[in-house]
Amino acid sequence: MPKIKPSKGAPYARILGVGGYRPTRVVPNEVILEKIDSSDEWIRSRSGIETRHWASPEETVAAMSVEAAGKAIADAGIDAAQIGAVVVSTVSHFSQTPAIATEIADRLGTQKAAAFDISAGCAGFGYGLTLAKGMVVEGSAEHVLVIGVERLSDLTDLEDRATAFLFGDGAGAVVVGPSAEPAIGPTVWGSEGDKSETIKQTVPWDRFRVGDASQLPLDSEGNVKFPAITQEGQAVFRWAVFEMAKVAQQALDAAGISPDDLDVFIPHQANVRIIDSMVKTLKLPEHVTVARDIRTTGNTSAASIPLAMERLLATGEAKSGDTALVIGFGAGLVYAATVVTLP
């Protein structure tokens, strides 16, 4: 039998550029309180959220992605034609097919780049980053665009006191390309499907085909509710605080570094209390910059890590070459953590 040629990729991969897009509309907690019995103080103390961004009809999943991706491509110093693959993580693109990644790849002006979507919830950016690293090292693409994008305002039940205040919209993107030295560490990832009921969509899409409103949730005025994201808050909090700190430590171990070697910690922006608890459990030194972008952006699921990364670099709180631990976790329950060198 003929021998298959070995792949000719780069020795290593790194993040070359990052970009973000936040919708223009800023929504304070007061707007959320119009529908639920709560208070601004309660929302801030429970989640850390003060404001979030909600997309207008024109700020579609594709439009936000193109804006964020354009910034990441420019930041990487390359042209869109050099992008060999586009990976989009989202749960809020409502057309089952085709993948929104194909439209984004075309609008950016890539030269027929491979393009596909993934559904990994709040861990989606980590999943996409891992796939991109593999493509660059394997040689199937020299540059890979990874996008995390959500319009979670479309999947928010504004009458659900447990979740109405949590979610925001936005897009974050990075370009992954070749590197002469290790700059994206081994990924520690996995799933715990036995806990899938803790974060889920309220009803599946096919329930609407039945035509029986008694099988669908109704709002306070008796109207059929659009499917929304719901969660068991306490169960998710305990899992994130106790289990994800272990995963974060495993990622540090896999990269061969200690908390003292870190410059930046960028966890999924789910809840400030979760973030602060992880910092304490990991015993991160005071010199480590911790992303708390959730305060003004809310929980943007797959977009939260690249958006937080982009803001830290833009404000100077983090700098190029810093060593950062990133970890995402959410519906599934799924998770992914790795150590990266910031672009």
Side-chain angles (χ1 to χ4, degrees), residues 6-17:
S7 300
K8 294 183 178 180
Y12 306 104
R14 70 182 303 118
I15 299 175
L16 300 175

Side-chain angles (χ1 to χ4, degrees), residues 223-309:
N223 300 310
V224 173
K225 286 186 178 182
F226 193 73
I229 297 173
T230 186
Q231 68 176 30
E232 298 173 14
Q234 287 302 313
V236 173
F237 182 86
R238 289 192 297 271
W239 175 77
V241 168
F242 296 109
E243 298 303 321
M244 291 306 97
K246 298 176 186 176
V247 171
Q249 183 60 57
Q250 290 169 13
L252 291 174
D253 295 341
I257 67 173
S258 72
D260 290 337
D261 299 316
L262 278 180
D263 300 303
V264 185
F265 178 43
I266 311 177
H268 163 50
Q269 302 294 292
N271 183 304
V272 162
R273 292 195 302 150
I274 291 175
I275 294 171
D276 291 344
S277 294
M278 292 180 71
V279 169
K280 184 177 180 180
T281 302
L282 289 167
K283 298 180 181 178
L284 296 185
E286 289 188 6
H287 75 261
V288 176
T289 297
V290 180
R292 293 185 176 87
D293 191 44
I294 189 172
R295 288 173 174 155
T296 56
T297 306
N299 180 342
T300 56
S301 189
S304 79
I305 290 175
L307 277 174
M309 182 184 295

